[in-house]
Amino acid sequence: MLSVDVNSDIGEGFGHWSVGDNADAQIIPLISSANIATGFHAGDPSTMYTTVELAKKHGVSVGAHPGYRDLLGFGRRHIHTSAPELIHDIIYQVGALREMASAHEMTLQHIKPHGALYMHLANDYEAANLFIHQLHRLAPELILYVMHGSPLHQLALDKGHSVICEFYADREYDQSGSIVFTRKTGMLDPNQVANKILKACRENKVTTIDNQEISVQFDSICIHSDAPGALALVQVVRQTLEQAGISIQAPNRMNN
């Protein structure tokens, strides 16, 4: 692997409240794609505006990071609702960030659902099918960030919609290749995370939570900005990749 995208969920504060290490301004220059919260699980208009501004300043591509309407639970609780209502919420959120990007003369590169919504769309066929249909109709240019091998991934491929598969640097994997969903993560060792990523880039392998080795296919590395010590993780990961001769580039720039 000569190049890889590094993405992070950014702009996940709300008003005067911040999450994680409150290090967005330091993390953004180190990544290539920013998934910007769109107001339902986190974020607000001013935060969205300034986050896009920071991304533009540092040449980082931006994407919408819509979630469940769940500020209290940070979008990590499943909300029971109909598929159409859920997709309407996503359209609303993408539209909000699109206008913030337009205010800075930027265009959205991608869309990546957040938290419990991400997991729901990865596994619920009805919601995933409607989501792909509407996404391809309304915003065919937006790259969809997905979990490799999920129903959502296959539906996007069947529709001919561009996808980016992710490797989750700060999450555990199970033997099926799915991430082990958790609401809270402890402090991780940056060097261990960097070595895990380097192995994945070189060998397309990861060790599961059950100490089994499985294959992984991906185009982008995800590091969550709300994880404890996220800034140190991103710093060490970037340094490790560059020392290994692997450049960090957004998907739209990889073939340029």
Side-chain angles (χ1 to χ4, degrees):
M1 181 174 284
L2 299 177
S3 64
V4 69
D5 178 47
V6 175
N7 78 81
S8 189
D9 305 340
I10 296 292
E12 292 188 312
F14 185 79
H16 294 292
W17 289 270
S18 59
V19 297
D21 299 333
N22 192 27
D24 283 3
Q26 290 77 43
I27 289 174
I28 286 176
L30 303 174
I31 62 176
S32 46
S33 297
N35 319 311
I36 300 177
T38 48
F40 274 28
H41 78 279
D44 58 75
S46 292
T47 300
M48 292 161 65
Y49 186 91
T50 56
T51 304
V52 171
E53 186 175 42
L54 272 172
K56 181 178 181 179
K57 177 182 177 181
H58 295 286
V60 173
S61 296
V62 298
H65 194 44
Y68 277 124
R69 194 189 300 262
D70 181 29
L71 283 173
L72 186 63
F74 196 62
R76 289 188 172 154
R77 303 180 297 185
H78 180 266
I79 304 297
H80 183 71
T81 186
S82 70
E85 183 178 345
L86 191 60
I87 304 313
H88 298 161
D89 281 356
I90 294 172
I91 294 170
Y92 180 92
Q93 293 176 79
V94 171
L97 188 67
R98 190 195 301 273
E99 290 308 301
M100 292 299 179
S102 179
H104 291 290
E105 298 182 333
M106 292 188 75
T107 57
L108 298 188
Q109 169 190 256
H110 66 276
I111 177 172
K112 175 185 170 180
H114 166 80
L117 177 58
Y118 184 101
M119 299 302 290
H120 180 68
L121 290 173
N123 296 293
D124 184 278
Y125 182 85
E126 180 188 4
N129 188 49
L130 182 57
F131 172 58
I132 289 297
H133 174 76
Q134 292 287 51
L135 176 63
H136 198 68
R137 183 175 72 88
L138 298 172
E141 76 285 357
L142 290 188
I143 303 170
L144 175 62
Y145 280 49
V146 296
M147 183 185 303
H148 184 272
S150 66
L152 181 62
H153 180 207
Q154 189 58 53
L155 283 166
L157 293 179
D158 292 345
K159 194 71 171 177
H161 197 93
S162 296
V163 296
I164 286 290
C165 294
E166 296 186 281
F167 180 75
Y168 308 96
D170 48 13
R171 295 290 187 268
E172 297 284 359
Y173 281 78
D174 64 23
Q175 291 187 45
S176 73
S178 297
I179 56 174
V180 179
F181 184 68
T182 180
R183 285 188 173 89
K184 292 184 178 180
T185 57
M187 186 77 72
L188 300 175
D189 183 324
N191 291 308
Q192 288 184 0
V193 172
N195 289 333
K196 171 184 172 181
I197 289 171
L198 197 56
K199 179 179 179 179
C201 289
R202 287 173 167 171
E203 304 174 26
N204 291 106
K205 299 286 186 181
V206 67
T207 302
T208 71
I209 195 169
D210 300 315
N211 204 34
Q212 302 295 314
E213 198 169 78
I214 61 171
S215 298
V216 286
Q217 297 183 46
F218 63 97
D219 315 285
S220 182
I221 297 162
C222 173
I223 302 175
H224 294 86
S225 67
D226 65 308
L231 176 58
L233 287 179
V234 178
Q235 289 171 330
V236 174
V237 165
R238 184 177 183 100
Q239 181 182 41
T240 300
L241 289 173
E242 289 179 339
Q243 288 177 346
I246 300 171
S247 64
I248 296 172
Q249 297 183 53
N252 282 335
R253 299 188 179 104
M254 284 184 181
N255 298 318
N256 291 346

